Amino acid sequence: MSWKFDYVIVGAGFAGSVLAERLATQLGKRCLIVEKRNHIGGNAYDRYDPAGVLIHDYGPHYFRTNSDRIIEYLSRFTEWQPAEYKILSWTDGKYWQFPINLNTYEQWVGHPATSAEMAAALAQWRIPIPNPQNSEEVIVSQVGTALYEKFFKNYTRKQWQHDPKDLDPSVCGRIPIRTNRDDRYLSEKFQALPQAGYTAMFHRMLHDPLIHILLKTDYRAVLPHLQFGHLIYTGPIDEYFDHCFGALPYRSLRFEPETLECEFYQPALQVNYPNDHAYTRIVELKHATRQRLPVTTIVREYPEAYGPGKEAYYPIPAPDAQALYRQYAERAATEKQVSFVGRLATYRYYNMDQVVGMALAEFDKLRNRQS
Ligand code: FAD
Ligand code: UDP
């Protein structure tokens, strides 16, 4: 038997779902999404656990963007619940305000201070490095060695199993450092969660008679039975090419949820543990969803090596991995009937909004190719 589609799309995450929605609704194309997991949404998937608490199964997903185009696009499928993502860091037996801001500085020096005083202190502590080349340099050039060692060095080693010196500046550089009292984890102008959750948003996005979804299926098992014009691939790029240039490195994670008989377990949405425990953070999403329940669910997140049976969660932003990725990217550019889109297919440490932007750009390219 052979099934006919205009597009076969591997993966039902943001990359695959945005493209399916655009191709079906704007160009009238018949799309088949093949997804190996038993649900849509990719890593942004969320669900109500047995206690009735909304949780993110694959780590906390804090939506944020500066792009009006992306807000406008996603708002067709969801209402939003504004969220201020507040995070603390636990070390030396107490909670610290994080990311580093004027409140953190006051805790550090032990007395009230002004922004000007903090800026003057940082100017003394920072190590002058005009063009930071790695994740250690990007932090010490802003706040000096002591704060770097307290909040960044060991967290980063635990998360990536790489020293910050061996990671791109963008890894630690994405954490803001402020001399005012703005203590939000993120700086983008729009910060919100889909009101009914990500999974509900994906259901609305994919609700079209031209979109067919095959769950619990590796695309390689069905490809020989399909006729189609173009393939959109959103899985790991080295897997697509049978690791022909060698395996790309990834970081994996283990998530350990626990439901507790109390309204809240911790004082903030997320607590980071740079220097204690094998886990990097504990997330209590209820702080952001504002669900009113007498119970709560927390999720501890343990970094793990990637290997057989493990999910590839993070591409590793380091020079040697990028060099290997470039070989795959060159090979991918020769595959004219295949688009490689998304975080794993382009091996980039991208946030959800950036992946939506990438998928919309790919749609524009595919549409132009038609005309
Ligand atoms: P994915 O969501 O990974 O989707 C790819 C899909 O392809 C998967 O469902 C996979 O099962 C499927 N697939 C792969 N191979 C095959 C195959 N052979 N056959 C069939 N299906 C296949 N972003 C933010 O903006 N804010 C955050 O707070 C945030 N937190 C994050 C926390 C964690 C722990 C992680 C891992 C990521 C986080 N992200 C966050 C990033 C976000 O998850 C991604 O940007 C986004 O989900 C990527 O979408 P995607 O479609 O590229 O990939
Ligand atoms: N980081 C750190 N200490 C922290 C938080 C983050 O050293 O308390 C570093 C770490 O290397 C981490 C990176 O900054 O991987 C990016 O952090 P973010 O919370 O954005 O990571 P993600 O949510 O993508 O895992």
Side-chain angles (χ1 to χ4, degrees):
M1 190 173 75
S2 175
W3 294 330
K4 239 175 142 174
F5 295 92
D6 297 311
Y7 287 84
V8 168
I9 300 173
V10 180
F14 268 103
S17 300
V18 168
L19 275 156
E21 188 279 333
R22 290 287 80 191
L23 290 163
T25 65
Q26 302 304 298
L27 301 182
K29 299 295 180 191
R30 210 168 121 79
C31 300
L32 174 70
I33 300 184
V34 187
E35 167 57 61
K36 69 178 179 185
R37 293 176 179 166
N38 65 357
H39 58 73
I40 58 173
N43 285 338
Y45 170 73
D46 55 13
R47 69 178 169 98
Y48 290 91
D49 70 6
V53 185
L54 185 68
I55 58 166
H56 293 173
D57 264 7
Y58 304 100
H61 276 69
Y62 307 141
F63 188 82
R64 77 296 200 125
T65 189
N66 284 321
S67 162
D68 291 333
R69 183 185 185 209
I70 289 166
I71 300 168
E72 186 274 315
Y73 172 70
L74 291 177
S75 300
R76 298 173 198 185
F77 315 106
T78 186
E79 308 280 306
W80 296 98
Q81 170 161 334
E84 286 210 327
Y85 308 117
K86 295 279 175 77
I87 283 175
L88 297 168
S89 184
W90 172 270
T91 186
D92 299 339
K94 66 174 182 180
Y95 291 112
W96 294 80
Q97 300 284 323
F98 197 79
I100 294 171
N101 64 72
L102 182 54
N103 300 326
T104 325
Y105 176 74
E106 288 180 338
Q107 285 184 288
W108 187 258
V109 294
H111 58 74
T114 63
S115 291
E117 285 163 357
M118 179 177 178
L122 293 187
Q124 296 263 311
W125 298 342
R126 78 166 59 102
I127 296 173
I129 303 172
N131 280 314
Q133 297 296 311
N134 59 55
S135 269
E136 177 178 307
E137 290 185 0
V138 81
I139 300 299
V140 298
S141 65
Q142 296 179 82
V143 299
T145 310
L147 286 164
Y148 160 73
E149 288 186 347
K150 189 69 76 190
F151 295 113
F152 290 91
K153 188 175 175 173
N154 295 329
Y155 186 106
T156 299
R157 285 179 167 173
K158 187 160 43 169
Q159 167 70 7
W160 298 99
Q161 221 179 26
H162 276 61
D163 194 273
K165 274 198 196 82
D166 302 322
L167 293 168
D168 284 358
S170 59
V171 176
C172 289
R174 69 198 238 125
I175 307 298
I177 289 167
R178 307 189 184 101
T179 53
N180 59 23
R181 294 197 194 276
D182 181 356
D183 60 353
R184 294 169 309 153
Y185 197 48
L186 309 170
S187 299
E188 285 83 352
K189 69 174 183 186
F190 183 83
Q191 303 186 21
L193 291 171
Q195 192 135 56
Y198 289 99
T199 305
M201 181 181 78
F202 279 97
H203 275 295
R204 290 182 68 179
M205 207 182 253
L206 298 176
H207 186 73
D208 187 285
L210 289 173
I211 301 176
H212 302 261
I213 304 172
L214 201 53
L215 295 177
K216 294 194 273 185
T217 308
D218 191 309
Y219 81 102
R220 287 168 290 204
V222 289
L223 215 54
H225 310 290
L226 300 173
Q227 281 181 40
F228 57 94
H230 194 90
L231 185 76
I232 292 170
Y233 181 79
T234 76
I237 189 167
D238 54 338
E239 229 172 84
Y240 180 86
F241 292 111
D242 293 326
H243 308 105
C244 65
F245 301 118
L248 279 165
Y250 299 93
R251 200 72 179 128
S252 194
L253 297 167
R254 178 166 57 86
F255 302 101
E256 205 178 86
E258 186 182 0
T259 297
L260 300 151
E261 298 289 327
C262 55
E263 211 180 335
F264 285 104
Y265 166 79
Q266 62 188 24
L269 166 65
Q270 179 177 316
V271 178
N272 290 354
Y273 290 86
N275 303 312
D276 299 272
H277 307 296
Y279 45 84
T280 47
R281 53 191 179 189
I282 299 182
V283 174
E284 188 172 25
L285 200 64
K286 242 182 111 189
H287 285 278
T289 58
R290 297 192 223 123
Q291 265 189 294
R292 297 179 79 99
L293 286 171
V295 294
T296 190
T297 300
I298 58 168
V299 182
R300 293 185 178 84
E301 196 170 313
Y302 294 83
E304 286 197 337
Y306 173 61
K310 301 293 300 176
E311 285 282 343
Y313 284 114
Y314 290 91
I316 300 191
D320 47 350
Q322 279 308 315
L324 180 55
Y325 165 67
R326 273 194 294 278
Q327 290 185 267
Y328 283 107
E330 276 169 28
R331 174 91 190 263
T334 66
E335 302 257 333
K336 297 298 175 210
Q337 293 312 313
V338 187
S339 300
F340 294 84
V341 193
R343 178 150 141 146
L344 297 175
T346 63
Y347 201 70
R348 279 182 223 175
Y349 185 13
Y350 260 9
N351 296 323
M352 294 177 280
D353 63 322
Q354 295 169 302
V355 171
V356 173
M358 191 194 280
L360 292 175
E362 185 64 23
F363 170 70
D364 289 342
K365 258 207 295 203
L366 293 171
R367 180 174 51 190
N368 291 340
R369 225 197 250 188
Q370 297 241 313
S371 47

